[in-house]
Amino acid sequence: MPKSVRDITSMKNSKKITVITAYDYTTAQLCDRAGVEILLVGDSGGMVMLGYENTIPVTMEQMCFFTEAVSRGRKDAMVVADMPFMSYQASKSQAIENAGRLIKSGADAVKLEGGIEIKETVRSIVDIGIPVMGHIGFQPQTTTLQEGYKVQAKTKDAALALIQNARALEEAGAFSIVLEMVTKEVSKIITESISIPTIGIGSGPDCDGQVLVVHDVLGLFEKLKPKFAKRYLELAGDIVKAITSYKSDVVSGKFPLQEHSFSIDKTELERLRKEIA
Ligand code: KIV
């Protein structure tokens, strides 16, 4: 049975929440089997799966496609799908319609980037019964446009603004909030000052949970290696090694062997040869 919003919110102050991104069926199955509580179909999929420079070009169609695959692969984890850039900013009705499309694609909740400025949008999605995860601090869809990759909440004023954003999202009914690249001290203050779980990425150890991009955890993505992402494997190198061995076996005739081949019955083969002759 997939985790519910209540399962996640009840973990605050008792057990850390583990979140990892997934964009396809096989990876979702493996991450689910590893016991993570939430599979995040992040719009980071635009970068690691589709090769975009950033998350801005990602479309609703692509997010629905990833979400369908991930939801088919999960058993126990909650599936949260990112609302891509410009899928919720134009109007509340646009936001509700697109949140609904992600739920119909198999998500249990949606994630939106933004604070006070999207409070009413979050409220309107929550009011129709769709759970919302907030996302503040570094917001890849817009912070990159304004100032590039930069640690957030390094001054008192910036920290205060972030605390207000977190409170606004809580008031609007969000069930949890991602804090991205927020100074660890301010993450701790935010975590202690709201009643819903915070999920950190590059935001220190005091958040209620952590999220990482699965390609970073597995060492698959080499274009960008954020300081905050712990690489548990270096699969990119292993994959290139394996494919190089495959190529060399094909060229040398070491692959395929008998064990990888299928045979036709001897009499059928005789008959075939005769007919051809
Ligand atoms: O798209 C994504 O992967 C995310 C995480 C960085 C939180 O939003």
Side-chain angles (χ1 to χ4, degrees):
M1 186 71 181
K3 299 269 177 301
S4 65
V5 165
R6 188 173 305 181
D7 291 330
I8 301 300
T9 52
S10 67
M11 290 175 76
K12 188 169 177 102
N13 301 323
S14 65
K15 203 168 164 241
K16 293 278 187 184
I17 303 162
T18 313
V19 185
I20 193 158
T21 66
Y23 319 95
D24 68 285
Y25 170 79
T26 303
T27 312
Q29 264 197 327
L30 298 175
C31 295
D32 188 285
R33 213 202 291 170
V36 300
E37 279 83 24
I38 300 179
L39 294 173
L40 171 65
V41 188
D43 57 359
S44 51
M47 298 170 74
V48 298
M49 299 294 288
L50 305 175
Y52 296 144
E53 278 301 309
N54 52 48
T55 58
I56 289 168
V58 177
T59 65
M60 271 303 297
E61 286 67 32
Q62 289 161 345
M63 290 307 298
C64 288
F65 186 70
F66 290 147
T67 303
E68 282 169 21
V70 168
S71 73
R72 284 194 286 265
R74 71 84 184 265
K75 213 160 60 97
D76 297 321
M78 169 188 270
V79 173
V80 178
D82 257 341
M83 297 198 65
F85 183 56
M86 289 319 292
S87 69
Y88 56 94
Q89 289 90 343
S91 67
K92 278 191 214 162
S93 62
Q94 180 211 32
I96 291 171
E97 192 180 325
N98 284 327
R101 283 182 68 189
L102 291 167
I103 299 295
K104 279 176 182 271
S105 301
D108 303 303
V110 296
K111 176 164 81 59
L112 283 71
E113 293 181 11
I116 289 175
E117 73 285 4
I118 60 157
K119 181 175 178 179
E120 292 314 316
T121 304
V122 169
R123 200 194 298 278
S124 61
I125 299 173
V126 172
D127 279 352
I128 62 151
I130 297 179
V132 171
M133 178 182 271
H135 183 154
I136 55 173
F138 180 77
Q139 298 171 196
Q141 292 172 8
T142 48
T143 320
T144 15
L145 289 175
Q146 288 155 18
E147 52 190 26
Y149 284 87
K150 207 173 133 215
V151 177
Q152 306 291 304
K154 289 186 90 169
T155 64
K156 182 204 73 170
D157 287 347
L160 278 175
L162 209 55
I163 294 166
Q164 277 167 6
N165 281 330
R167 290 199 173 131
L169 290 170
E170 180 184 23
E171 275 166 31
F175 75 95
S176 62
I177 304 177
V178 166
L179 302 179
E180 182 160 355
M181 282 213 297
V182 174
T183 50
K184 61 184 193 309
E185 299 82 359
V186 175
S187 293
K188 185 170 191 300
I189 293 172
I190 294 176
T191 300
E192 287 167 355
S193 60
I194 57 175
S195 64
I196 54 174
T198 56
I199 310 292
I201 174 158
S203 298
D206 295 307
C207 297
D208 297 303
Q210 296 291 328
V211 54
L212 282 178
V213 170
V214 67
H215 287 62
D216 292 337
V217 172
L218 301 179
L220 273 173
F221 195 62
E222 299 191 300
K223 203 161 146 189
L224 204 67
K225 294 185 179 175
K227 161 188 155 111
F228 56 73
K230 181 167 172 186
R231 293 168 82 90
Y232 288 81
L233 286 174
E234 285 300 339
L235 272 192
D238 289 348
I239 289 175
V240 174
K241 228 194 287 176
I243 308 295
T244 308
S245 301
Y246 164 57
K247 179 178 161 45
S248 130
D249 283 359
V250 169
V251 171
S252 67
K254 276 196 199 153
F255 177 84
L257 300 176
Q258 285 298 333
E259 70 220 56
H260 307 116
S261 311
F262 305 96
S263 279
I264 182 172
D265 183 79
K266 269 193 185 141
T267 15
E268 284 300 307
L269 186 60
E270 276 305 303
R271 289 175 64 205
L272 173 68
R273 287 213 163 106
K274 270 189 195 143
E275 189 152 334
I276 294 168

